[in-house]
Amino acid sequence: MENPTKTDSNDRGLRLVRKDLVAAEYSGASNLMFNELVKQWMKAGRKIYHFGFGQSPFPVIEVGVEALKQHAGENAYLDVQGLPELRRSICHFHEKYDDVIFDPDHVIVAPGSKELIFLLLNVFSGNVLILSPSWTTYRPQAMLAGHTPIILTAGPESEWRVTPELLEQTILSNRLKGPCLLIMTNPCNPTGTAYTEQHLVALSAVLRKYDVIVLSDEIYARLSYGGDHVTLAKVYPEGTILSSGLSKWASAGGWRLGYHIFPKELSALKASVKSAASHTYSCAPAPVQYAAIKVFSDETACDDYIRHTSRIMAAVGDFCCRELKSVGVKVVKSKAGYYIFPDFEVIREPLRRRGVTTCEEMCALLLAEALVAVMAGGPSYLRPVEELTTRLCYVNFDGSDALAKSRTLGLDTSLPESFVFDHCTPVYNGIMALKSWVKDLQQAVNAS
């Protein structure tokens, strides 16, 4: 993949790049670059089971499409912070689903939550803490904003969560002084794990003890399989900045509409982010903001869409976990969203015999031999290069067909056992190909 800092040392352009970015081998978003590469291969005629990109498989929520058509002619610049009616509808939406009351004056709307995270990192003065494994963009954004992030390394024993013990140990071992900003994702990309209220209450005790601010990225909250998502803002309201948007649960990634909700205790930080917004994106797109008001306000449409899409994703996620576990692959069962983070340690020895020792090498071999594309754990997700973890996104199916079938059955009728095979066929075939590849490697060792 292209890395703009990896060029000839005599290249004049290299001398124009910040030295800290060159030293850290800063490059583009690995998930986006990988997706573009795989799509090019597929367009060229290569058959690939694409598990490498986390984009919603479903059509945009219908009520939003109709509203966007109605407001396509809106062309005025809007308030930097977002339409007041939109901010009110966002707060009512979270009151319904999260049982938390927010103030519309504390909401900032933007062209994607990623933009707001970046602006927050630019105006924040203090230590930045990022969990490993982590979404691919947090660390590069922190670097672009001039921070050297401190990494908290989680493991499968905690289902990849940040624990109170890990947080306190990191703060003490690094002798951190002054303000800290912890970036955490709940539910998690890339692992699919989620935090219960008990987890968050225990974590909040350490957050309060050390006065840690949290950017709680909850973009997958409405895709909680049990419908039991708990926001950190409920148990740690004074220190939580809630980040969300329409891209995942409403399948509107291309709309680029996200938002942050700040507590009143962080009003100065909110004002700084708003000021930075005025100097960068000006406002979120007007037609999208007007359409989003209709989306957030239509409780019946949201309930129907969320319940159907989340139960489909639960069925697909359960299938992936079950089949991979059947051949010895270690995987924490996903609680929400699109992802699992399987560990292929079970085939380390057969891989070693073929000269493969890193996850990147394993993924290249998997693609060449089984036509299965997954993203390696490794540095992109802040994992060790020799760890055989991968991020697997189980969204490569026609969500329109799956959603129509689920609605035909009705929510009172469970999805049949054959649902994934019948309506998410590319996922089924890809997982079977991956499973067979693992079995073949194991049998080759046993035969020798």
Side-chain angles (χ1 to χ4, degrees), residues 37-51:
L37 181 62
V38 174
K39 286 169 66 176
Q40 289 173 13
W41 290 337
M42 295 173 71
K43 188 176 181 179
R46 294 182 65 178
K47 178 183 178 182
I48 297 174
Y49 301 110
H50 189 8
F51 292 102

Side-chain angles (χ1 to χ4, degrees), residues 29 34 44 355 411:
F34 184 69
L411 291 168

Side-chain angles (χ1 to χ4, degrees), residues 165-185:
E165 296 78 15
L166 175 59
L167 176 59
E168 185 160 41
Q169 178 188 18
T170 301
I171 292 172
L172 294 176
S173 63
N174 287 276
R175 299 180 179 178
L176 299 182
K177 304 294 182 182
C180 291
L181 173 66
L182 169 66
I183 302 178
M184 61 179 285
T185 317

